[in-house]
Amino acid sequence: EGVLQFEQFYHIGYMDKIYSRQIPQFLSNIPSDSKPKLVFINSCYSELIGNAFIQSGLYFAVIVQSL
């Protein structure tokens, strides 16, 4: 399973995680006229995360494998 990690704005060094299985729910909370049409992903497990976005109805995902 892939995971996206976001550094918190107010607490430097703390991370919020979104797992690939949570992406459909995450996107369902966004109004359809505000949903992103494109994501660019360059991270470990980028294919898993990108596929989760595509399966959730996102139009485009640019997925780069991190080395």
Side-chain angles (χ1 to χ4, degrees):
E1 177 175 38
V3 62
L4 292 172
Q5 296 188 110
F6 299 94
E7 187 172 5
Q8 293 181 359
F9 181 73
Y10 295 106
H11 297 98
I12 304 301
Y14 289 88
M15 304 298 269
D16 290 321
K17 294 180 180 180
I18 299 177
Y19 293 91
S20 56
R21 62 175 149 55
Q22 296 173 299
I23 290 174
Q25 179 184 359
F26 174 75
L27 290 175
S28 71
N29 293 326
I30 301 172
S32 60
D33 61 337
S34 298
K35 284 186 184 177
K37 306 272 189 289
L38 168 76
V39 293
F40 180 89
I41 303 164
N42 180 17
S43 66
C44 297
Y45 306 106
S46 56
E47 184 176 357
L48 293 171
I49 297 295
N51 284 334
F53 274 107
I54 295 294
Q55 292 172 2
S56 298
L58 199 72
Y59 293 110
F60 302 100
V62 177
I63 305 165
V64 178
Q65 179 181 354
S66 285
L67 299 176

